[in-house]
Amino acid sequence: MDFVCAGNWKMHKGPSEAAAYIKALREMAQPEELARLVIFPPAVCAAAVAEGVAGTEIRWGGQNIFPAPSGAATGENSPAVFKDMGAKLALVGHSERRHIFGEPDEALAKKVQFLQSIGTTPVLCVGETLDDRRWNRTAEVILRQAKIGLTAADPTKPVWIAYEPVWAIGTGEVATPLQVEEAHSILRSFLLEWSSAASAVTPILYGGSVKADNVSSLAGLNNVNGFLIGGASLDAKELLNILRLSRDARGGKI
Ligand code: PEP
């Protein structure tokens, strides 16, 4: 399974900054590194990113979608339009969507299903809150989110999982290697039960305050197939650095 470093820009950057970022990334990265990079720009930058990555292997995707090709859904983004613009993936259930906007697991399951139906890869994000962890509910919570999120999913079509403990997102507090390995192994076992064929090709990314300073202790762990990076991905050089340090930590294999 190929290793990926995905940058989630959240609500940062406008079209001109996005274009400059992608230009810098293209200039700095080796061709084989481009295929390991994914960008999730805000929708207002989608066109600039799509244009910037055209002709390269850099992939990009929406941060959020509404599960319909078009219609009465004011303020939402059509996954069919993203696809038409070249998006290959879309985030589903990022912790900010779950916790700021109250998106429930059942609604996320519809997004996963719809994305797969149009040939876009959903990246289903799961993760426990600090309270969940304190009360020893991590396994229960991430399994529930994964199970419901994938209830209507087709195991023969691509899906990615991102384990993002809520308490580690944007806080500077990164999960320990043991915590990451445990959570990823729980998710891997679940995927194996869901479909062993799907599990063999489904990456599980870790996200939560990943940066160049801490990536080396995480990149080589069992079942860590990449990273979803927020704050640190806002700088193209840092994103590339994280990818390169991951490669080193994995003995050159990405
Ligand atoms: C994220 O937005 O998915 C994320 C993990 O953010 P950060 O790296 O800033 O914690």
Side-chain angles (χ1 to χ4, degrees):
M1 205 175 315
D2 290 338
F3 196 87
V4 285
C5 282
N8 172 20
W9 292 355
K10 311 191 190 217
M11 200 175 68
H12 295 285
K13 301 191 190 295
S16 53
E17 269 178 289
Y21 179 111
I22 301 294
K23 184 170 177 283
L25 199 56
R26 289 183 64 161
E27 282 166 5
M28 288 184 291
Q30 301 300 317
E32 70 278 8
E33 293 172 329
L34 296 176
R36 301 282 170 269
L37 297 170
V38 178
I39 302 292
F40 293 101
V44 288
C45 297
V49 169
E51 201 177 309
V53 304
T56 78
E57 289 193 84
I58 302 176
R59 284 167 285 180
W60 71 276
Q63 293 178 3
N64 178 42
I65 58 96
F66 188 82
S70 62
T74 303
E76 293 292 305
N77 297 304
S78 159
V81 173
F82 276 149
K83 184 184 169 158
D84 203 42
M85 294 170 72
K88 299 280 185 255
L89 306 109
L91 295 179
V92 176
H94 184 277
S95 117
E96 287 145 25
R97 300 300 316 173
R98 290 178 186 269
H99 297 284
I100 303 176
F101 302 99
E103 292 191 13
D105 288 316
E106 293 72 16
L108 302 176
K110 286 193 186 139
K111 296 188 183 198
V112 168
Q113 181 185 32
F114 189 81
L115 284 163
Q116 283 193 323
S117 78
I118 63 165
T120 298
T121 301
V123 182
L124 177 66
C125 304
V126 301
E128 81 286 2
T129 63
L130 193 54
D131 261 2
D132 293 331
R133 182 158 283 278
R134 283 195 181 128
W135 290 98
N136 230 358
R137 292 192 302 244
T138 299
E140 175 196 327
V141 168
I142 63 177
L143 278 174
R144 188 198 67 230
Q145 292 173 341
K147 252 183 215 157
I148 304 180
L150 295 184
T151 28
D154 180 345
T156 68
K157 293 182 175 159
V159 60
W160 295 6
I161 304 290
Y163 168 62
E164 299 207 301
V166 179
W167 50 272
I169 298 180
T171 58
E173 197 176 336
V174 66
T176 65
L178 184 62
Q179 289 170 328
V180 174
E181 211 160 39
E182 273 174 4
H184 282 231
S185 130
I186 289 167
L187 291 166
R188 181 60 71 202
S189 302
F190 161 72
L191 286 173
L192 271 166
E193 241 175 71
W194 182 53
S195 154
S196 58
S199 180
V201 293
T202 300
I204 306 175
L205 315 187
Y206 168 75
S209 296
V210 171
K211 48 186 186 220
D213 288 352
N214 56 33
V215 73
S216 300
S217 62
L218 302 174
L221 299 177
N222 277 336
N223 290 312
V224 171
N225 312 114
F227 296 113
L228 182 54
I229 307 145
S233 76
L234 294 175
D235 181 68
K237 205 169 163 197
E238 174 86 355
L239 180 66
L240 197 54
N241 210 4
I242 291 172
L243 178 68
R244 289 176 177 166
L245 288 164
S246 300
R247 183 175 53 200
D248 294 347
R250 296 167 57 83
K253 202 171 157 286
I254 51 168

